[in-house]
Amino acid sequence: MIIQFLAVAFLLQAPQRTIAIDERLAADAKLSVGDRVILSATPESSTGDTVVIAAIVKRGNDPAEVARSEFRIRLHLDHLQSLAGYGDRVDRFAVAARGEAATQKAIDAINSAAFGFQAHRSKDIAVATSKTFQVVSRFHKAIGVITIVASAIFLLCIMLLKVEERRRDVAALRLMGISRRTVMRAVVIEAALLALVGSALGVGVGWVGSQFVNWYYRGVYRTPLSFSIITPDIVTLAVTLSLVLGIAAGILASLRLVRTPPLVLFGR
């Protein structure tokens, strides 16, 4: 009789509720799968539901979560309703749709369902809530423009100095009958090679710097988000721009050289 009673009590016992926590909470609280914790809707509460950690999930690549130090816990909807005391009410929910037409149809259906509902596209919400990142993006573009202008001036100065060092050599070539076009072509080719070598070094330094930035800030914010990326398009743009600036600097420096009479280049 006692055995039958225990069996019925075991069958009637409610299953243990489970939750999933993010990896940041698991690391800070030293929790692992299978641990039992008490879940409460209010902090410092002496009562709550004892639940079992069933999974540890990774954080997504969402820039909006980078500066937040909050933890995330996932639990079943009915459990959340009973714990928060919200009943059937929700503050917001997400709907996945296939294609632009389906998205617009879902927005119209939700907005017309009842007064108080307002549906938005996820990309519109991202734009509205990422003003800080837009300012940072403009700041990066401004730094890029300043860097390009400074690099062009620096490259032109280097070419002028190298040309000045070869005044006597160029004068000798001119007196030997070497044409101005040949002298200009040699200077421009040298400038282009210098720009290509500088581009290769710049790409290498940029890649190492990008890896360091991602390593450092991923550790600080504990997120898989990439803070610095170098794409083939960026490399192509940088090399092309460097080559154009190098050729332009070579042309300006060679024009200054070939327009000067050979005897003047000799200093006579």
Side-chain angles (χ1 to χ4, degrees):
M1 185 64 182
I2 294 175
I3 295 176
Q4 292 179 348
F5 176 76
L6 292 176
V8 172
F10 177 77
L11 293 174
L12 295 177
Q13 186 179 5
Q16 187 71 54
R17 303 308 301 255
T18 57
I19 62 172
I21 62 175
D22 67 356
E23 54 187 357
R24 182 183 297 180
L25 174 59
D28 289 356
K30 302 185 184 309
L31 297 174
S32 59
V33 176
D35 290 347
R36 295 175 181 270
V37 295
I38 298 176
L39 201 63
S40 174
T42 56
E44 305 298 337
S45 176
S46 58
T47 60
D49 296 341
T50 301
V51 296
V52 177
I53 299 175
I56 297 176
V57 297
K58 292 184 178 180
R59 301 180 71 89
N61 297 334
D62 189 355
E65 297 181 356
V66 171
R68 297 178 181 175
S69 58
E70 60 189 17
F71 301 122
R72 284 195 169 186
I73 298 176
R74 298 182 181 181
L75 58 163
H76 296 88
L77 182 59
D78 61 329
H79 191 192
L80 176 63
Q81 289 176 327
S82 63
L83 191 67
Y86 248 43
D88 294 334
R89 294 177 298 165
V90 294
D91 293 329
R92 59 184 177 180
F93 58 91
V95 177
R98 294 180 177 178
E100 184 64 26
T103 302
Q104 186 61 46
K105 185 177 179 180
I107 291 175
D108 296 338
I110 294 172
N111 288 336
S112 60
F115 177 76
F117 280 98
Q118 187 64 44
H120 302 278
R121 290 181 174 82
S122 57
K123 61 181 181 182
D124 296 336
I125 297 176
V127 171
T129 57
S130 59
K131 298 296 184 182
T132 303
F133 295 99
Q134 293 181 9
V135 173
V136 173
S137 178
R138 292 170 185 170
F139 183 68
H140 288 170
K141 291 180 180 178
I143 293 178
V145 172
I146 294 173
T147 303
I148 291 173
V149 173
S151 302
I153 296 174
F154 181 71
L155 185 59
L156 179 59
C157 292
I158 290 178
M159 292 307 303
L160 290 175
L161 289 175
K162 292 183 69 66
V163 166
E164 286 297 322
E165 293 176 353
R166 299 178 180 176
R167 288 171 61 94
R168 300 179 67 85
D169 297 337
V170 173
L173 293 174
R174 293 282 308 281
L175 292 175
M176 291 171 60
I178 304 300
S179 64
R180 295 181 178 179
R181 179 174 297 181
T182 303
V183 174
M184 283 190 62
R185 187 184 300 119
V187 174
V188 171
I189 291 175
E190 184 178 356
L193 292 176
L194 185 63
L196 288 177
V197 173
S199 300
L201 293 175
V203 170
V205 172
W207 184 82
V208 173
S210 177
Q211 296 300 313
F212 176 77
V213 167
N214 287 329
W215 169 78
Y216 178 76
Y217 284 105
R218 282 173 179 171
V220 171
Y221 295 107
R222 290 184 292 179
T223 174
L225 189 68
S226 295
F227 293 85
S228 175
I229 57 174
I230 297 179
T231 63
D233 293 340
I234 294 176
V235 175
T236 302
L237 176 62
V239 174
T240 303
L241 191 59
S242 174
L243 190 60
V244 171
L245 293 176
I247 292 176
I251 292 175
L252 292 176
S254 60
L255 284 176
R256 183 172 181 271
L257 190 64
V258 298
R259 287 177 178 175
T260 305
L263 294 180
V264 175
L265 294 176
F266 266 121
R268 296 182 179 179

